[in-house]
Amino acid sequence: MFTLATARRMRAVAAVAATLICAPFALADDMVSFATGGYASGLRTGDMMKKIDANKDGMVSRDEWVAYQEQVFVMLDKDKTMVIDEGEFLAPSSEMAAFATGGYARGLQSKEMMSKIDANKDGRVSHDEYIAYQVEVFEMMDPGHSGMAGPREFLGKGL
């Protein structure tokens, strides 16, 4: 017998199912809106995961992520002032291209990404702004807050 209570339960189950099915897309959309599509697609590749995975265990830990981003900051901060101006941020670098991938470097080194990272909107990116932004990116890839991002989380597939 189909009752009002049965109908309510079916709607609740459908709502939970829709949430679970759509969650990976919401996370991917969050990453793109937080960053840019070019940055997200340049980052979320197997090649980038391998470059960041320092101990080669097939996972990227928060510590590995931050250590990698520290190195990226050093490469961007060409005059070693701990603050990156637009000229430094946007300047092509053979060192960066070898350390990252071309897709990641192009995605990161854009005016739009610089603006997103520049939290206080002073036209420059400080070390603290850069690392804080990158920690937030990692946390989007680690929705379970385990401190680790495996291939599914890092690549944004089938979360």
Side-chain angles (χ1 to χ4, degrees), residues 15-36:
V16 169
T19 300
L20 292 174
I21 290 168
C22 294
F25 302 111
L27 290 172
D29 288 345
D30 287 349
M31 174 73 80
V32 171
S33 64
F34 183 72
T36 64

Side-chain angles (χ1 to χ4, degrees), residues 57-151:
D57 66 352
M59 305 280 285
V60 173
S61 70
R62 185 180 191 279
D63 290 343
E64 287 171 320
W65 175 261
V66 171
Y68 186 86
Q69 296 303 334
E70 290 281 359
Q71 291 177 294
V72 169
F73 183 87
V74 167
M75 288 179 206
L76 293 171
D77 184 20
K78 293 169 184 60
D79 64 4
K80 309 303 177 209
T81 61
M82 299 299 285
V83 176
I84 304 167
D85 64 25
E86 186 176 307
E88 290 173 296
F89 198 91
L90 300 177
S93 163
S94 57
E95 183 183 25
M96 175 73 85
F99 184 70
T101 62
Y104 176 77
R106 280 188 304 279
L108 173 65
Q109 292 183 269
S110 70
K111 285 184 182 186
E112 188 177 2
M113 277 302 297
M114 183 178 174
S115 177
K116 288 179 179 281
I117 297 169
D118 180 13
N120 66 3
K121 304 303 177 199
D122 68 353
R124 304 175 319 151
V125 174
S126 71
H127 174 266
D128 291 346
E129 285 173 318
Y130 185 83
I131 296 302
Y133 184 90
Q134 295 300 341
V135 166
E136 287 188 59
V137 169
F138 182 82
E139 289 175 3
M140 287 181 185
M141 292 188 293
D142 180 23
H145 306 291
S146 66
M148 301 292 283

Side-chain angles (χ1 to χ4, degrees), residues 42-63:
L43 167 64
R44 296 186 104 170
T45 68
D47 287 342
M48 279 303 298
M49 185 173 181
K50 287 176 188 168
K51 288 180 179 288
I52 298 168
D53 179 15
N55 67 0
K56 306 303 178 205
D57 66 352
M59 305 280 285
V60 173
S61 70
R62 185 180 191 279
D63 290 343

